[in-house]
Amino acid sequence: MTHPPEAGSDAGNDAGTYSSLDEVGRAIGGTLDRTLITRLGIEVLEASDRTVTARMPVDGNLQPYGVLHGGATAALCETVGSIAAPDRMAMGIELNVNHLRSVGNGWITGVGTPLHSGRTTAVWDIRVTDDDGRLVAVGRLTLAVREVPKG
């Protein structure tokens, strides 16, 4: 299996491509401190308008039974789709996640691709895999897309 680049690598930053969470934060003119993204340990590996790859540790995001919490997986899916265009504000308005396999350790990686990218809405397909490349979950995210408010 081919693993995505390590977080913070120089894998991007060509015209709208971002290779770290810090780059995404700077692109949106703010900070991702004190967000669910950092609380869950999500790391953006690459982000452009055509694909987004992010990963999240399983440890710290478990349910009491010792497996990955479905809500954490859903948060990874929403993060992947929402940061695709840092020059616009994207807010999830509908998310469907099918959980296919449980995970108890390691990392999960979400790779998202747009199915529709319009002026006011976008729809993203997100595939979540474990460290062995096995499909853990699939998600479909519908987003409202707006201009970033000035100021």
Side-chain angles (χ1 to χ4, degrees):
M1 170 186 152
T2 303
H3 288 281
E6 291 299 311
S9 73
D10 292 329
N13 212 14
D14 299 326
T17 300
Y18 304 91
S19 63
S20 74
L21 197 57
D22 289 336
E23 287 181 13
V24 172
R26 283 191 298 274
I28 62 173
T31 178
L32 297 178
D33 291 343
R34 299 179 49 215
T35 65
L36 185 63
I37 295 167
T38 56
R39 183 172 300 269
L40 295 177
I42 295 173
E43 299 175 353
V44 176
L45 303 175
E46 180 182 6
S48 73
D49 61 348
R50 300 304 309 158
T51 188
V52 173
T53 304
R55 68 182 183 172
M56 180 181 70
V58 173
D59 189 38
N61 294 311
L62 300 173
Q63 46 176 260
Y65 305 111
V67 296
L68 180 63
H69 194 290
T73 305
L76 176 65
C77 290
E78 184 150 344
T79 299
V80 164
S82 294
I83 65 170
D87 59 327
R88 309 272 320 261
M89 187 170 57
M91 300 159 290
I93 56 176
E94 195 275 332
L95 174 63
N96 173 277
V97 180
N98 295 103
H99 304 279
L100 308 172
R101 175 185 303 275
S102 65
V103 180
N105 57 45
W107 290 76
I108 58 169
T109 300
V111 178
T113 56
L115 300 173
H116 163 75
S117 188
R119 186 176 56 80
T120 60
T121 62
V123 178
W124 278 71
D125 176 69
I126 301 102
R127 307 283 172 166
V128 180
T129 57
D130 65 11
D131 285 335
D132 294 324
R134 295 177 297 201
L135 193 60
V136 171
V138 293
R140 178 162 295 172
L141 174 64
T142 303
L143 299 149
V145 181
R146 303 292 183 263
E147 294 296 322
V148 177
K150 303 285 186 219

